[in-house]
Amino acid sequence: MSQGTLYDKVWDEHKVTQLPNGQDQLFVGLHLIHEVTSPQAFGMLRERDIEVARPDLTHATVDHIVPTSDQSRPYSDDAAEEMMSELEQNVREANIEFSDPSTGDQGIVHVIGPEQGITQPGKTIVCGDSHTSTHGAFGALAFGIGTSQIRDVLATQCIAMEKQKVRKIQVDGELGAGVEAKDIILEIIRRLGTDGGVGYVYEYAGEAIENLDMEGRMSICNMSIEGGARAGYVNPDETTYEWMKETDYFQENPEKFDELKPYWESIRSDEDAEYDDVVHIDASELEPVVTWGTTPGQGIGITEPIPHPEDLPEDKQETARRAQEHMRVEPGETMAGYDIDVVFLGSCTNARLPDLRRAAAIVEGRDVDDSVRAMVVPGSQRVQEAAEEEGLADVFREAGFEWRNAGCSMCLGMNEDQLEGDEASASSSNRNFVGRQGSKDGRTVLMNPQMVAAAAITGEVTDVRELPEVTPV
Amino acid sequence: MSDFDADIPEVRAVSETGVPIRGNDIDTDQIIPARFMKVVTFDGLGQFAFFDVRYDDDDNQKAHPMNEERFNEANVMVVNDNFGCGSSREHAPQALMRWGIDAFIGESFAEIFAGNCLALGMPTVTADSETIADLQDWVEANPDGDIDIDVENETVTYGGQTVDVDVDDAQRQALVEGIWDTTALMSANSGEISATAASLPYLK
Ligand code: SF4
């Protein structure tokens, strides 16, 4: 078992007791809720006549079903309106703070928590959403939970869990041009498999991780779950503290920063911490990674050939064959040149300000290919506002992108933004499962924001490092 | 925190007919496509389980075990590797439960999926690929045949033979002792909860 890691320390700090079923009861420092997975839990609470235990440690937003174009109420989609109304009623009754669209603070739950400073190092954070692992970027212990567990947390502010093993993923070396945090995590999942992390929590460490900004760290932790690890984290450091200082919470309570910093320092993994497993990755060897299949583990460097199913481990062959049939890709070829119909720059993986900046730098002075429908969906209203102020929105619009309002949008196709028929998308999101983007015949190619931008320009999967220079007019 | 009746049923054994669902890495998007999640209660989700693999674009039935009359009454789903991977949506086990499933036997289950099943009192029992393949073939040939899952002793009996299976220790204990309803278990510790909260630096 691991010892002296951040995971061990934060776990111990929050452990209430051991339950008769052998699980530990952990106190939850922050419970984030959204409209899709919480209503059923509130329903279960009502059935049992239980009240929300700690509304003060609960925070709500609306993201999955919120329309990203016309947000006037009632929403044109009845089901979306029903979910929104239900959430509004639940938060009102329980007195839970709600970052609704009228506040200017609304956005994807994994974008707004960090923005508002309620995501903090050393907290336990849960949400009925698997990408809650995102918040681990701050040195929090954060994981997705199911609806019954949401009920548990609403009722008791606690969660019942078994302790997991800890795998340290040491990423050394420097990233090359066009290569980003997203490529590191796609590479990790490709190497360790989509179930390689089952039973583990991932600690991301090493020079390449330390050099990332908080947004990059969030992109990596976000996709821990795609590698099977329910949580992933980065030890807090100066980069983390700088972020915290700027957030609402610490702007309003500056004395809290000095009070809490010693705690944050104390939960960092010890130099001599013991891990259950250690994996090394050399960031300098990476190139932009794109997926060729229908799981995030089916990724490949942009210049590498798509694998022949028979060259893969036996248990992966059938899935690979089916994936290649669905995607209509040929083993032996590269993904470069794969036709793209739709471009989606968004999601809790890659829709924060620096993501949009890097993509805009590629788009500037170029035009979206005629055959492509391209959209940018900022991760939050704050990202949206900042991007509009610094002119990024105009860069995208001038190139031919649609500039939308904040939400999950085409990451999962629960609102009106969906793939149609067998359209292929270049997407900065985290899942390429069949049907994920709203059409069961739709095809999703995951990649980093710069690569998404390059695909929008050329209408095909393109190595952003090879994009021809813009010819001055 | 209010008290409530904490009478949790024990799940020692399940004895019912099966339905084979073949394939590795069947994710929750397949089990219940996202568009059916726009609901505020779980009632009625059963009819949408595996919808996109059961129906074509015009809502006509496709070849799928869950569309076959002989599996209509099945309660044990026999699956392969990494079943229930992907999104943590509890709609997936809820949909399958409301379709009629009470227990799963498979090569392996995604962790969150298995946790969600446990919260509903549904066992997720595992065995090696050969055992699963044999069982799937047998269910195919014997849709009316009973499968007895003995959670406590980690065996499955079907067609006159008994095979060893694995049930995660914590899951086994929770099911067998009727301590799988964690809301009830944790509510009992309100004193300790307050003490832990009071000790946290960020809540001071
Ligand atoms: S952006 Fe996508 S992955 Fe992130 S919370 Fe929304 S639906 Fe989930």
Side-chain angles (χ1 to χ4, degrees), chain A residues 85-298:
Chain A
S85 311
E86 186 83 11
L87 181 63
E88 286 172 324
Q89 189 193 332
N90 287 332
V91 298
R92 202 181 317 117
E93 277 177 14
N95 203 13
I96 292 167
E97 205 177 328
F98 180 24
S99 294
D100 73 61
S102 72
T103 59
D105 298 331
Q106 174 265 343
I108 306 173
V109 62
H110 312 308
V111 179
I112 68 149
E115 276 175 355
Q116 298 182 20
I118 50 180
T119 296
Q120 292 172 11
K123 269 194 188 180
T124 42
I125 301 178
V126 300
C127 175
D129 192 288
S130 36
H131 296 98
T132 309
S133 56
T134 311
H135 306 260
F138 291 83
L141 185 51
F143 34 80
I145 56 176
T147 303
S148 311
Q149 292 173 305
I150 303 176
R151 179 197 66 193
D152 285 350
V153 181
L154 287 174
T156 68
Q157 198 59 25
C158 290
I159 179 126
M161 284 195 102
E162 280 132 69
K163 216 170 161 194
Q164 314 253 300
K165 292 184 276 192
V166 184
R167 173 179 290 142
K168 182 181 193 177
I169 302 184
Q170 175 84 18
V171 191
D172 293 313
E174 254 178 72
L175 290 171
V179 191
E180 305 185 5
K182 177 73 159 281
D183 303 298
I184 296 180
I185 188 64
L186 282 171
E187 176 68 18
I188 290 171
I189 302 167
R190 164 195 177 186
R191 272 202 221 170
L192 303 177
T194 47
D195 54 4
V198 174
Y200 284 94
V201 161
Y202 282 174
E203 174 174 314
Y204 303 101
E207 173 193 1
I209 303 291
E210 285 160 22
N211 287 340
L212 290 173
D213 56 16
M214 289 315 298
E215 290 87 350
R217 297 179 188 184
M218 284 190 256
S219 301
I220 290 187
C221 291
N222 175 272
M223 291 188 72
S224 302
I225 186 67
E226 305 310 331
R230 214 162 149 186
Y233 64 85
V234 177
N235 280 300
D237 60 10
E238 286 308 318
T239 308
T240 322
Y241 309 146
E242 284 306 312
W243 174 291
M244 294 315 307
K245 226 181 227 165
E246 299 302 319
T247 59
D248 310 352
Y249 181 78
F250 293 100
Q251 289 289 313
E252 286 156 24
N253 308 284
E255 75 289 352
K256 288 276 180 198
F257 183 86
D258 296 321
E259 270 172 50
L260 282 175
K261 200 169 164 204
Y263 171 60
W264 300 342
E265 297 267 304
S266 76
I267 49 131
R268 285 175 53 90
S269 293
D270 296 334
E271 289 292 331
D272 58 353
E274 286 173 31
Y275 297 88
D276 299 285
D277 191 29
V278 181
V279 169
H280 292 272
I281 304 255
D282 184 350
S284 64
E285 286 173 2
L286 300 183
E287 53 175 359
V289 179
V290 295
T291 54
W292 51 263
T294 54
T295 79
Q298 290 168 328

Side-chain angles (χ1 to χ4, degrees), chain A residues 216-407:
Chain A
R217 297 179 188 184
M218 284 190 256
S219 301
I220 290 187
C221 291
N222 175 272
M223 291 188 72
S224 302
I225 186 67
E226 305 310 331
R230 214 162 149 186
Y233 64 85
V234 177
N235 280 300
D237 60 10
E238 286 308 318
T239 308
T240 322
Y241 309 146
E242 284 306 312
W243 174 291
M244 294 315 307
K245 226 181 227 165
E246 299 302 319
T247 59
D248 310 352
Y249 181 78
F250 293 100
Q251 289 289 313
E252 286 156 24
N253 308 284
E255 75 289 352
K256 288 276 180 198
F257 183 86
D258 296 321
E259 270 172 50
L260 282 175
K261 200 169 164 204
Y263 171 60
W264 300 342
E265 297 267 304
S266 76
I267 49 131
R268 285 175 53 90
S269 293
D270 296 334
E271 289 292 331
D272 58 353
E274 286 173 31
Y275 297 88
D276 299 285
D277 191 29
V278 181
V279 169
H280 292 272
I281 304 255
D282 184 350
S284 64
E285 286 173 2
L286 300 183
E287 53 175 359
V289 179
V290 295
T291 54
W292 51 263
T294 54
T295 79
Q298 290 168 328
I300 199 89
I302 184 67
T303 67
E304 284 177 278
I306 296 160
H308 289 272
E310 59 270 26
D311 295 339
L312 296 171
E314 207 174 330
D315 60 326
K316 302 277 176 250
Q317 295 183 3
E318 188 42 41
T319 317
R321 254 180 229 113
R322 264 190 285 128
Q324 294 185 350
E325 203 175 301
H326 179 87
M327 294 298 291
R328 293 190 237 130
V329 296
E330 285 300 322
E333 293 180 2
T334 68
M335 279 303 286
Y338 185 80
D339 268 336
I340 291 297
D341 308 299
V342 174
V343 158
F344 174 63
L345 181 57
S347 91
C348 59
T349 315
N350 276 130
R352 298 181 182 84
L353 202 51
D355 299 316
L356 305 192
R357 281 192 192 126
R358 289 194 307 278
I362 304 294
V363 165
E364 187 148 32
R366 298 184 164 108
D367 289 319
V368 170
D369 188 80
D370 287 342
S371 67
V372 169
R373 175 159 72 96
M375 66 169 91
V376 188
V377 182
S380 70
Q381 290 182 323
R382 291 189 187 187
V383 169
Q384 182 179 2
E385 200 191 327
E388 284 168 3
E389 264 170 29
E390 67 178 70
L392 301 181
D394 291 334
V395 170
F396 284 114
R397 280 199 208 102
E398 275 159 27
F401 276 85
E402 280 180 58
W403 179 255
R404 296 293 191 98
N405 294 309

Side-chain angles (χ1 to χ4, degrees), chain A residues 13-17 19-23 25 27 29 36 39-40 48-51 53-54 57 77 79 82-83 86 120 122-124 129-130 145-148 151-152 155-156 158-160 162 164 195 199 225 230 256 260 263 315 319 322 412 414 431 433 436 440, chain B residues 1-4 23-25 27 29-30 34-35 37-42 52 55-57 62 81-82 86-91 94 109 111-112 116 118-120 168 170 173-174 177 179 181-187 189 192-193 196-197 199-204:
Chain A
E13 201 71 47
H14 291 81
K15 180 170 166 176
V16 172
T17 184
L19 294 169
N21 66 6
Q23 292 181 307
Q25 178 170 354
F27 188 81
V36 178
Q40 300 84 358
R48 293 182 176 196
D49 198 19
I50 311 176
E51 282 183 10
R54 295 295 301 262
L57 303 182
D77 175 353
E82 189 188 358
M83 289 177 128
E86 186 83 11
Q120 292 172 11
K123 269 194 188 180
T124 42
D129 192 288
S130 36
I145 56 176
T147 303
S148 311
R151 179 197 66 193
D152 285 350
T156 68
C158 290
I159 179 126
E162 280 132 69
Q164 314 253 300
D195 54 4
I225 186 67
R230 214 162 149 186
K256 288 276 180 198
L260 282 175
Y263 171 60
D315 60 326
T319 317
R322 264 190 285 128
L412 90 169
M414 270 185 92
R431 285 188 169 157
F433 300 145
R436 172 73 177 181
K440 67 185 165 54
Chain B
M1 240 164 290
S2 36
D3 287 327
F4 55 93
N24 295 334
D25 301 310
D27 57 64
D29 283 73
Q30 264 185 70
R35 64 182 184 281
M37 289 169 57
K38 289 202 231 169
V39 291
V40 293
T41 80
F42 289 131
D52 289 343
Y55 298 93
D56 67 16
D57 289 341
K62 296 200 277 191
D81 195 38
N82 200 25
S87 153
S88 64
R89 62 186 68 155
E90 194 165 329
H91 304 62
Q94 285 277 0
F109 295 88
E111 195 200 332
I112 296 183
N116 287 338
L118 178 61
L120 299 172
D168 171 74
Q173 194 194 358
E177 295 176 19
I179 48 174
D181 185 329
T182 42
T183 301
L185 290 180
M186 294 196 292
S187 295
N189 304 324
E192 288 101 319
I193 297 174
T196 305
S199 75
L200 290 170
Y202 59 87
L203 291 184
K204 275 181 188 151

